[in-house]
Amino acid sequence: MSAISDLLGAEADALLNYTAKGFNKEKLHLPGPDFIDRVASQTDRSPAVLRNFQQLMNSGRLAGTGFVSILPVDQGIEHSAGASFAPEPSYFDPENIIKLAIEGGCNCVCSTFGVLAACARKYAHKIPFMVKLNHNEFLSMPNKYDQTMFGRVKTAFDMGAASVGATVYWGSAESARQLQEVSEAFAQAHELGMVTVLWCYTRNPLFVDKENKKDYHTSADLSGQACHLGVTLKADIIKQKLPTNNGGYNFTKHGKTHKDVYEKLNPGDHPIEMTRYQLANCYMGRIPLINSGGESKGANDFADAVRTAVVNKRAGGMGLISGRKAFQRPLKDGIKLLNLVQDVYLDKGITVA
């Protein structure tokens, strides 16, 4: 744990020794080697879905632990291929994306229809594939913040994918259409035996306090409600950004909340407390929570990735989905970063708060 503590720096004690005060860990459905038997098997998911879920959890360095490390690379569409791959041009070739996931010890590689289809016959049986079904396409002018389906669930199934992922921008003007599209896609995926993963992001300009320069898109209360909407769509795993503040409902004065959300269930602004509130909204962990690794910022990426992993694990989450921090650098450094994240979940000294 010494290397992890060193990377956490001044925050080490506050993150590694914190005891949660809101939701007691004894009431949570926590990750573990028996998660599929203990929790997932109690749902209406078919044996085929449970098989693929177990396959995903039995792959990579974290196999058999109950935790997952996923490499997502869909930023070629979301942010442009140039912006995403210029820092490390080898990833213009889809095969190198899959190689990074395999050599980096990931449970799963998540990418676009095009990336995964380009190498499906060579790799679909070597690492579980997760096909991202929809994307926010930024070439159109003016930019539009919307998620558009890029293909069919059956196409993902035919290429050998074990799972599919999708995004809903909760709070946006387009969210009603997006949730209908994703709900139908997830139902089809379950019929075909695939695991479903939902990117539960909030998106609305009114979630930003411009006067005080505070962004509530990643507030614990708003992002927690996004998680709760996501599990209602029957996602098998929820992907959410790590919360950075709280009180989004109180700022927008839209919708309903309760004072106990802030005074009892989510006291203070500790990142583990706020992330646990996200998990509580995932049916107390019956639907696992994974957090996003975030954008690459250079030298601090390793410390930031470890911090996010520690917060997620100690809150009761199932793992991390780390993309840009890993693939926007040379292969050996990307593997090192992914392995550092995985080391957090392998470290038995880092326990649930």
Side-chain angles (χ1 to χ4, degrees):
M1 190 188 294
S2 59
I4 294 169
S5 297
D6 291 343
L7 284 167
L8 293 176
E11 285 190 290
D13 181 65
L15 293 177
L16 294 172
N17 298 314
Y18 182 77
T19 300
K21 302 174 179 63
F23 289 91
N24 189 299
K25 64 182 179 181
E26 304 299 332
K27 296 182 179 180
L28 302 175
H29 301 274
L30 296 170
D34 63 342
F35 184 83
I36 301 301
D37 289 335
R38 174 168 45 87
V39 182
S41 67
Q42 306 304 308
T43 71
D44 67 347
R45 276 39 165 199
S46 70
V49 172
L50 298 179
R51 179 197 64 214
N52 279 325
F53 206 160
Q54 190 71 68
Q55 179 197 15
L56 191 153
M57 297 183 71
N58 282 350
S59 300
R61 288 185 73 221
L62 297 182
T65 65
F67 297 108
V68 298
S69 167
I70 299 172
L71 176 72
V73 187
D74 62 347
Q75 289 86 352
I77 294 174
E78 299 273 345
H79 303 290
S80 90
S84 301
F85 304 135
E88 180 47 60
S90 63
Y91 292 109
F92 276 101
D93 185 338
E95 185 171 13
N96 289 323
I97 293 172
I98 301 173
K99 284 182 176 179
L100 174 60
I102 293 174
E103 295 181 33
C106 292
N107 299 69
C108 175
V109 58
C110 172
S111 197
T112 65
F113 280 98
V115 164
L116 296 177
C119 302
R121 290 187 183 273
K122 185 173 182 179
Y123 290 105
H125 59 292
K126 296 179 181 178
I127 184 172
F129 278 12
M130 180 186 301
V131 179
K132 185 68 163 44
L133 299 174
N134 61 3
H135 305 280
N136 187 19
E137 178 271 304
F138 269 155
L139 185 59
S140 301
M141 291 184 64
N143 284 345
K144 56 182 179 181
Y145 296 90
D146 194 6
Q147 288 285 327
T148 305
M149 288 289 179
F150 268 59
R152 300 182 304 140
V153 173
K154 182 63 162 54
T155 303
F157 174 79
D158 288 341
M159 78 167 71
S163 59
V164 295
T167 300
V168 172
Y169 284 153
W170 299 108
S172 71
E174 299 80 18
S175 63
R177 191 206 78 245
Q178 291 170 9
L179 77 88
Q180 290 176 326
E181 292 174 348
V182 172
S183 176
E184 291 176 6
F186 279 9
Q188 293 169 8
H190 279 157
E191 288 173 3
L192 292 168
M194 290 188 285
V195 177
T196 59
V197 182
L198 188 64
W199 278 235
C200 278
Y201 293 166
T202 61
R203 175 81 70 177
N204 193 308
L206 297 178
F207 291 170
V208 179
D209 182 352
K210 295 182 180 178
E211 181 178 348
N212 296 303
K213 297 181 179 179
K214 194 168 185 178
D215 190 342
Y216 287 102
H217 279 97
T218 49
S219 68
D221 52 353
L222 292 179
S223 63
Q225 178 61 19
C227 292
H228 197 70
L229 292 170
V231 294
T232 305
L233 291 187
K234 294 185 67 175
D236 297 313
I237 298 174
I238 293 293
K239 177 195 175 187
Q240 183 57 274
K241 295 180 180 180
L242 207 66
T244 57
N245 55 48
N246 205 359
Y249 269 107
N250 295 330
F251 165 69
T252 63
K253 296 180 173 57
H254 176 73
K256 293 183 178 181
T257 187
H258 193 284
K259 62 182 180 62
D260 285 355
V261 168
Y262 312 97
E263 296 174 6
K264 295 182 179 180
L265 302 180
N266 193 9
D269 59 356
H270 197 286
I272 292 174
E273 209 77 69
M274 293 191 293
T275 306
R276 179 157 298 179
Y277 186 73
Q278 292 180 338
L279 181 70
N281 275 278
C282 296
Y283 296 158
M284 297 294 276
R286 287 181 183 272
I287 305 301
L289 172 71
I290 59 176
N291 287 115
S292 170
E295 65 181 306
S296 176
K297 297 180 180 179
N300 291 329
D301 282 353
F302 290 85
D304 289 344
V306 165
R307 180 186 185 275
T308 304
V310 168
V311 170
N312 172 270
K313 183 180 182 182
R314 300 214 67 222
M318 184 174 271
L320 236 57
I321 180 163
S322 304
R324 283 168 286 176
K325 283 182 170 63
F327 71 77
Q328 289 188 329
R329 50 182 20 98
L331 177 65
K332 65 176 183 178
D333 293 331
I335 292 172
K336 179 180 178 182
L337 186 141
L338 291 169
N339 288 170
L340 268 174
V341 166
Q342 294 152 11
D343 286 346
V344 171
Y345 293 96
L346 292 170
D347 192 328
K348 295 183 179 179
I350 301 175
T351 58
V352 178

